[in-house]
Amino acid sequence: MTPFSSPRVLRPSGEHSPVGGRLLTPVTAVLGLLGLVSLFILAVRLVYGLGAVTNINDGYTWGTWIVLDVMVGTAFACGGYAMTVLVYINNNWEYHPLVRPALLTSVFGYTLGGVAIFVDVGRYWNGWAVFHPAYAQPNSVMWEVALCITLYVGVMWLEFTPAILEKAGKIIWLRRTRKIMFILLAFAVLLPSMHQSGLGMVLVAFGDHIHPLWQTNYLPLLFLLTAIAMGFAVVVFESYLTSHGFRRPMETPLLANMSQVMVTLLVIFLCVRLGDVAARHQFHRALELNLQAFCFWCEVILFLAPLLMLMKPANRNRPRLLFYAALCLLQGGALYRLDAYLIGYEQVPGWHYFPSVPEILATLGLVSLEVLGFIVLSKVLPVLPAPHGVAHVNGR
Amino acid sequence: MTSTRREFLRDTLVGGGSALAAGLLPAIASGRDNLPRIPTARGLLYDSTLCIGCKACMAACKQANDLPPEHTLAEPYWDTPLDLSGKTKTVIKMYRDGTAAVKDREVDGFAFIKASCMHCVDPSCVSVCPVSAMRKDPGSGIVTNNPDVCIGCRYCVAACPFKVPRFEYDTPFPRIKKCELCEHRMAKGHYAACAAVCPTGATLYGQVEDLLREAKRRLSLSPGEETRFPRGELGGADHDVRAHTARYVPQIYGESEMGGTQMIFLAGVPFAKLGYRPLPTRSYASVSETLQHSLYEGMVMPIAALAGLSFLAYRSRVNHTLLDEEDQPEPAGEQP
Ligand code: SF4
Ligand code: SF4
Ligand code: SF4
């Protein structure tokens, strides 16, 4: 409970409460330090150019800043998207306690993606051109993605305002925002559907630069499916970590129910993924002895494993198993995107790419800032499911 | 839980269904075709069998485009680029096999090949550029980059089927560099510098239609036959060069690859050996735009989806606004 809020306001949303406690801990200090390192690296990049800190080249012009921070990072940030679909669109209100933490990770994940794009783009000072009608180029998937991501970050912060208003005790405003919230929520589903599928569609124009195990017109669908599945997985992942980190009870029954959705999504994904490779008669490429084929099978295994783990309903009530299943799914989804963008990016011979140390440190630091932001805000704002709220929901 | 698992799954599938359907549609959508050739388009015909590897074109290109030399040898005295780069817009490469004894022969032979922008009829770089910085001139078909709006995202670098656009990684104010067919010289009545200096006519500038006709003429000659090879600008004032016809590979590379290009090649060695792989005739730009348009044409699908989502969100909100504001217990429908 915060000193500002009246019980009347808190009661309906009493399912969330701030964690409280000291902000400066060894964990937050380390995260902050890593964050500072990354900011320093980004400053060097701005002064000396991309080549000063990264290993990207004309053969692999998109390195880990784009592939990990944007392509994989925003997928990890799809918890807000997945929960919005489940709770507000699909009317499964019992999952409401899980929305806010998911949303908060999403906000930070996408903001990180935005920062990564900004520093990776060579001529950032021309960024306005994306939004200028005379230059906007709607045939470009990148244009669509850039627009949707920018709008979505705004929408998410707005979607998050109730937590801030609640904290500030602004009852009238809280009610007002609730009245129009449904429009915002519709955008909060449409925009990520568009740009997450768009992230897959970006690759279609690459043609035979992308290995046949990944190049397909189903890229948008596959990226969309991984986005939603990873969104649910990240909610499980995060619930497990926060309940351990903050010593709060875990919402296991909720997560157990939710993992049914993950199972369904995994089945659909694997059918489309494998069916597509087979339908294009490219399965023999998976039987070759090379890195691409190896990575393809790693993906398949990482998607199959959580499916097998969660198939048995009894297993879904075991927090640790749930956590491992979510972890596999997240790794599978991340690898799928990494493969499609980097491992499966076939090159004329002579080009090589492996991220440099500063390149990796910058990504690590940005992720640290993201985690730091999450910790700080969930200590200050009513974000995490309140322990009693959980009891209330579960006690039905 | 009152909702059975089946209902739960059904609900989830219906809820996510609208979004998923959007991803499935490309399979059934019809598409845009390759863009057509522009009748007034300009381009280059590079005949590998005429090229003597003198690299005069490379030097002229540097001069005409104000590009710095590139050093790859221990002694930094000569301009020695190995590939296109932020400092080099064209490069002559050599193919060699075995003893490399005979020119334009695949086995135990050698050959030259030029790399520079192909000025595709349906360019990927233009299709993918988010800010119209890559632009194809509707008259000349020349593909240029406008640095005043280019954001340096390098989508064009990654997507170009011929790996042409290059980026400057070693400066805080980098630019995309690629051959723009010396468009800036045309305003002054000149044409492509590389063609202008080519002593043998291996790099020939002209209207693409004429260049294609000239290429077909060469393919129709029998090997060893003496003929006149125009030099500089096809149909221009330059003198011709008399020479014997080489044994050509019966293919004009760029006639149909990727929907056609405005730089076309003739060679005596299979193009795949020269670094120009076989490519489909359907341009990647048209494949990608077909997919994009089938999802977003007229914004019909997104708007319909938005309406549907708003309705669902509103319906679901209404129940719970009551809960929020009236201190009511949970609505009966939701009570598990
Ligand atoms: S070769 Fe590449 S850069 Fe040149 S027009 Fe074609 S797609 Fe664009
Ligand atoms: S780097 Fe510049 S020209 Fe290339 S796609 Fe991006 S904005 Fe367009
Ligand atoms: S046309 Fe001009 S820019 Fe292009 S390769 Fe020739 S000289 Fe260089």
Side-chain angles (χ1 to χ4, degrees):
Chain A
M1 293 271 162
T2 66
F4 305 108
S5 43
S6 75
R8 182 171 156 77
V9 182
L10 256 188
R11 199 202 118 5
S13 306
E15 47 192 24
H16 300 109
S17 69
V19 175
R22 283 183 345 151
L23 293 184
L24 184 67
T25 66
V27 176
T28 55
V30 170
L31 292 173
L33 219 61
L34 284 170
L36 282 180
V37 170
S38 77
L39 293 183
F40 173 73
I41 293 168
L42 299 187
V44 173
R45 172 262 172 269
L46 289 179
V47 176
Y48 295 102
L50 278 161
V53 285
T54 73
N55 277 347
I56 54 171
N57 50 56
D58 282 323
Y60 290 88
T61 194
W62 287 350
T64 50
W65 286 3
I66 288 296
V67 178
L68 287 187
D69 300 10
V70 182
M71 306 306 164
V72 177
T74 61
F76 274 94
C78 275
Y81 169 39
M83 295 314 293
T84 304
V85 173
L86 189 60
V87 173
Y88 299 113
I89 302 300
N90 213 34
N91 206 1
N92 290 105
W93 214 258
E94 62 267 33
Y95 297 101
H96 194 247
L98 301 176
V99 174
R100 273 191 198 167
L103 200 58
L104 189 60
T105 351
S106 298
V107 169
F108 280 111
Y110 268 95
T111 310
L112 162 126
V115 172
I117 292 174
F118 178 81
V119 294
D120 189 83
V121 146
R123 302 172 62 81
Y124 48 86
W125 58 89
N126 280 339
W128 54 269
V130 176
F131 310 100
H132 192 296
Y135 298 109
Q137 213 278 93
N139 287 334
S140 164
V141 187
M142 166 100 56
W143 178 78
E144 178 229 312
V145 168
L147 204 69
C148 286
I149 290 190
T150 314
L151 284 174
Y152 185 51
V153 171
V155 164
M156 275 191 298
W157 279 110
L158 287 177
E159 205 184 339
F160 193 68
T161 44
I164 301 170
L165 292 172
E166 213 170 84
K167 162 90 181 180
K170 301 258 188 252
I171 309 168
I172 307 290
W173 277 103
L174 193 58
R175 294 226 176 119
R176 280 186 193 155
T177 44
R178 282 199 176 138
K179 291 237 163 63
I180 53 146
M181 196 51 107
F182 72 96
I183 305 238
L184 214 57
L185 292 170
F187 273 106
V189 172
L190 180 69
L191 292 173
S193 307
M194 283 171 71
H195 68 243
Q196 282 297 334
S197 58
L199 293 181
M201 192 141 55
V202 159
L203 292 175
V204 172
F206 285 32
D208 67 346
H209 286 324
I210 305 295
H211 191 283
L213 283 175
W214 288 276
Q215 181 59 284
T216 162
N217 273 5
Y218 282 92
L219 271 165
L221 179 62
L222 290 166
F223 267 62
L224 187 63
L225 285 169
T226 46
I228 305 176
M230 289 171 79
F232 286 119
V234 93
V235 170
V236 173
F237 177 78
E238 180 187 275
S239 295
Y240 186 84
L241 288 188
T242 45
S243 71
H244 279 69
F246 291 139
R247 301 207 170 70
R248 293 165 80 115
M250 191 172 161
E251 308 85 2
T252 314
L254 274 186
L255 298 177
N257 280 336
M258 203 181 69
S259 54
Q260 296 176 40
V261 191
M262 275 159 56
V263 170
T264 315
L265 284 167
L266 280 168
V267 171
I268 300 176
F269 175 83
L270 281 167
C271 288
V272 179
R273 177 84 173 99
L274 300 177
D276 168 65
V277 173
R280 286 183 295 110
H281 307 293
Q282 295 295 344
F283 229 103
H284 62 280
R285 299 300 298 262
L287 304 175
E288 293 167 0
L289 278 179
N290 55 29
L291 180 65
Q292 281 85 4
F294 175 75
C295 288
F296 172 82
W297 288 112
C298 289
E299 272 175 36
V300 172
I301 290 167
L302 284 168
F303 281 113
L304 268 177
L307 186 60
L308 296 178
M309 284 186 221
L310 298 178
M311 201 90 103
K312 223 168 110 203
N315 281 348
R316 298 176 197 156
N317 284 314
R318 294 164 58 188
R320 193 167 284 267
L321 206 79
L322 257 176
F323 174 73
Y324 284 133
L327 203 61
C328 284
L329 203 166
L330 288 173
Q331 285 170 335
L335 186 62
Y336 171 65
R337 287 170 178 230
L338 183 77
D339 286 349
Y341 269 89
L342 269 179
I343 312 279
Y345 191 63
E346 286 190 298
Q347 273 303 321
V348 269
W351 293 108
H352 305 281
Y353 169 74
F354 195 83
S356 69
V357 172
E359 209 171 347
I360 295 172
L361 278 181
T363 297
L364 206 67
L366 285 180
V367 174
S368 305
L369 284 181
E370 184 186 339
V371 177
L372 181 65
F374 181 88
I375 293 180
V376 168
L377 283 200
S378 55
K379 284 190 174 188
V380 176
L381 292 179
V383 170
L384 290 187
H388 68 270
V390 175
H392 161 75
V393 173
N394 292 345
R396 307 169 170 194
Chain B
M1 296 278 295
T2 50
S3 60
T4 66
R5 185 183 317 160
R6 210 175 53 222
E7 282 168 3
F8 180 92
L9 289 180
R10 187 208 57 205
D11 284 358
T12 312
L13 288 178
V14 170
S18 53
L20 294 187
L24 276 167
L25 262 160
I28 51 170
S30 65
R32 94 143 162 82
D33 285 333
N34 289 346
L35 296 181
R37 276 196 190 272
I38 300 169
T40 52
R42 251 74 54 82
L44 297 173
L45 164 61
Y46 172 80
D47 187 332
S48 165
T49 68
L50 295 179
C51 180
I52 52 170
C54 69
K55 302 183 187 174
C57 52
M58 290 170 60
C61 180
K62 290 252 155 149
Q63 197 181 26
N65 292 286
D66 210 7
L67 294 165
E70 211 174 333
H71 304 298
T72 53
L73 299 178
E75 307 94 32
Y77 305 136
W78 303 281
D79 178 35
T80 53
L82 300 177
D83 199 355
L84 301 178
S85 76
K87 298 187 176 90
T88 302
K89 292 186 179 181
T90 189
V91 74
I92 296 291
K93 295 187 188 179
M94 189 184 190
Y95 161 82
R96 49 184 305 154
D97 179 78
T99 59
V102 180
K103 189 167 183 291
D104 302 314
R105 190 171 72 184
E106 185 182 351
V107 180
D108 283 337
F110 70 97
F112 298 108
I113 188 73
K114 185 179 193 284
S116 53
C117 177
M118 304 289 279
H119 297 279
C120 303
V121 173
D122 192 356
S124 301
C125 60
V126 171
S127 168
V128 301
C129 178
V131 291
S132 320
M134 284 289 189
R135 192 176 156 273
K136 187 171 179 66
D137 187 272
S140 68
I142 296 175
V143 177
T144 53
N145 173 268
N146 174 5
D148 293 336
V149 289
C150 170
I151 58 171
C153 66
R154 314 188 298 290
Y155 196 178
C156 55
V157 176
C160 168
F162 303 102
K163 306 289 324 160
V164 167
R166 300 291 163 121
F167 183 73
E168 299 172 307
Y169 297 90
D170 50 2
T171 144
F173 307 111
R175 280 182 59 166
I176 291 287
K177 291 288 176 73
K178 71 178 267 301
C179 156
E180 299 176 314
L181 210 65
C182 288
E183 201 196 36
H184 62 292
R185 283 165 53 90
M186 291 178 193
K188 299 183 204 116
H190 302 303
Y191 56 91
C194 53
V197 300
C198 180
T200 65
T203 300
L204 183 67
Y205 171 83
Q207 297 255 356
V208 180
E209 282 185 353
D210 301 340
L211 293 173
L212 275 167
R213 207 172 305 123
E214 169 67 11
K216 282 179 190 144
R217 180 185 76 86
R218 293 183 194 177
L219 286 186
S220 70
L221 301 171
S222 38
E225 193 177 333
E226 196 180 272
T227 187
R228 302 168 72 85
F229 290 99
R231 204 204 65 81
E233 182 178 19
L234 185 56
D238 297 293
H239 64 89
D240 291 354
V241 179
R242 288 199 75 83
H244 296 282
T245 315
R247 186 177 299 276
Y248 287 110
V249 172
Q251 180 192 1
I252 305 172
Y253 193 94
E255 188 181 17
S256 59
E257 280 75 12
M258 281 286 101
T261 59
Q262 291 177 202
M263 173 150 95
I264 52 176
F265 292 132
L266 287 176
V269 167
F271 288 100
K273 299 274 164 150
L274 300 177
Y276 285 86
R277 67 198 188 285
L279 281 167
T281 51
R282 174 110 194 253
S283 72
Y284 291 144
S286 72
V287 173
S288 159
E289 286 188 24
T290 294
L291 197 53
Q292 172 88 341
H293 292 177
S294 56
L295 293 179
Y296 296 112
E297 194 73 77
M299 289 303 282
V300 175
M301 294 238 306
I303 291 171
L306 189 68
L309 291 168
S310 303
F311 168 73
L312 290 172
Y314 183 74
R315 192 196 60 181
S316 132
R317 241 312 164 189
V318 163
N319 298 340
H320 298 278
T321 315
L322 292 179
L323 166 73
D324 287 345
E325 300 195 346
E326 318 285 343
D327 274 357
Q328 279 189 359
E330 302 215 3
E334 279 301 302
Q335 197 68 47

